[in-house]
Amino acid sequence: MAAGTKFGLSPEGRYGDVGTMEGYGQYCPIALGAEVFAERWTPIILRNLFVGCHRFGEILEGAPGLSRSVLVQRLRRLERDGVVERGRLGRAVEYHLTDCGMELIEVCMALGVWGARWREVPPEYLDPYLALWMLSRLIDPASLPRRRVVVRFDLTDRSRPDRYWLVLARSGNEVCAQPPGFDDDGVVTLDTAWLVRWYSGAASLAEAQRAGGMRVVAPPWLVRELAGWGRLSPFADVRPARDATRA
């Protein structure tokens, strides 16, 4: 009788080679849900759809490292599972979350809270483009006092590209690695670690300035906007477990 099995039936004998199966081969709802959600890149794709990326290129922009072929596969799988629906706006193909997909976003958000509380970000994961890209998706351009706002971010710890422009406009927000052709409304100088700390809500603009981590040259109205942007992350209020331990 095989060790560790009451009736002599090993997992291999009962289920066969589960490594070759597409899913887990289990009725458990956690296993069934994980077959859809836990595939690599799927949570990132869902996150991007949730923050308003509806076209293929938009989803890809917010997922550095994701190949076009893998994105095609994941979108087809999500559409097949009823999580995403595909439609057309004129000639453009768009992807939107279904009711099923919106419910899965609750899983994404819970995972984000857990990650913010229990995981530390390795230095090599710090990506200034991704931080600014996510910020651009969270800022509502209709809330701005001007029709277009351009903020230049000068990064002190990066070789080229060491400068990005956050362009916010009613026609759509974007992050540029080349001059966008508009005058700068303000300039923020900082390193990548402080950029991520400010964007994620780990440090306020005032705290970053007092610590010498951020230098802002901008009119008062833009300074007020920058202070608010640092609180837009849905995980800004999550206290890391390591901070609670030190308290």
Side-chain angles (χ1 to χ4, degrees):
M1 184 177 293
T5 59
K6 186 174 181 180
F7 300 106
L9 293 174
S10 68
E12 292 78 13
R14 183 174 178 184
Y15 295 111
D17 183 7
V18 295
T20 62
M21 297 174 63
E22 184 179 21
Y24 295 102
Q26 296 182 18
Y27 67 86
C28 170
I30 294 175
L32 292 171
E35 288 178 1
V36 177
F37 180 79
E39 199 166 18
R40 188 166 189 251
W41 290 111
T42 293
I44 305 303
I45 294 167
L46 292 172
R47 177 201 69 189
N48 290 359
L49 286 164
F50 180 63
V51 298
C53 300
H54 298 302
R55 298 186 179 180
F56 189 92
E58 293 175 336
I59 300 169
L60 206 60
E61 282 179 2
L66 173 61
S67 69
R68 297 179 67 88
S69 60
V70 171
L71 178 55
V72 168
Q73 293 170 8
R74 296 296 184 272
L75 287 172
R76 285 176 179 169
R77 171 69 189 269
L78 290 170
E79 189 177 1
R80 187 187 76 191
D81 288 329
V83 175
V84 168
E85 60 184 1
R86 182 175 55 172
R88 285 189 175 274
L89 183 63
R91 293 186 175 183
V93 175
E94 292 196 339
Y95 299 89
H96 292 266
L97 293 167
T98 62
D99 290 343
C100 167
M102 287 302 298
E103 193 166 331
L104 202 51
I105 291 300
E106 297 177 21
V107 181
C108 273
M109 299 304 289
L111 185 63
V113 169
W114 182 88
R117 179 171 292 128
W118 293 103
R119 296 282 288 168
E120 294 194 32
V121 181
E124 62 270 21
Y125 283 13
L126 298 176
D127 184 340
Y129 167 79
L130 189 58
L132 290 172
W133 180 88
M134 184 59 71
L135 187 62
S136 76
R137 307 305 303 189
L138 296 174
I139 296 172
D140 178 7
S143 68
L144 299 174
R146 298 187 178 184
R147 294 185 63 84
R148 180 188 297 115
V149 175
V150 180
V151 184
R152 194 180 84 212
F153 288 82
D154 290 345
L155 298 163
T156 59
D157 63 327
R158 296 274 165 162
S159 56
R160 294 185 182 276
D162 59 351
R163 180 173 288 179
Y164 291 94
W165 284 262
L166 182 61
V167 182
L168 309 170
R170 306 294 165 85
S171 58
N173 300 340
E174 60 181 327
V175 178
C176 303
Q178 300 294 331
F182 308 112
D183 292 337
D184 299 335
D185 292 303
V187 178
V188 180
T189 304
L190 73 177
D191 65 19
T192 305
W194 273 107
L195 171 61
V196 173
R197 289 193 67 195
W198 165 68
Y199 152 72
S200 65
S204 68
L205 177 64
E207 290 170 340
Q209 288 178 303
R210 284 197 298 270
M214 291 178 68
R215 184 164 61 87
V216 178
V217 178
W221 67 265
L222 183 52
V223 174
R224 289 192 295 271
E225 294 292 333
L226 286 164
W229 297 347
R231 300 295 303 168
L232 291 179
S233 168
F235 312 113
D237 294 325
V238 179
R239 188 181 184 189
R242 62 183 180 277
D243 292 350
T245 302
R246 293 169 187 161

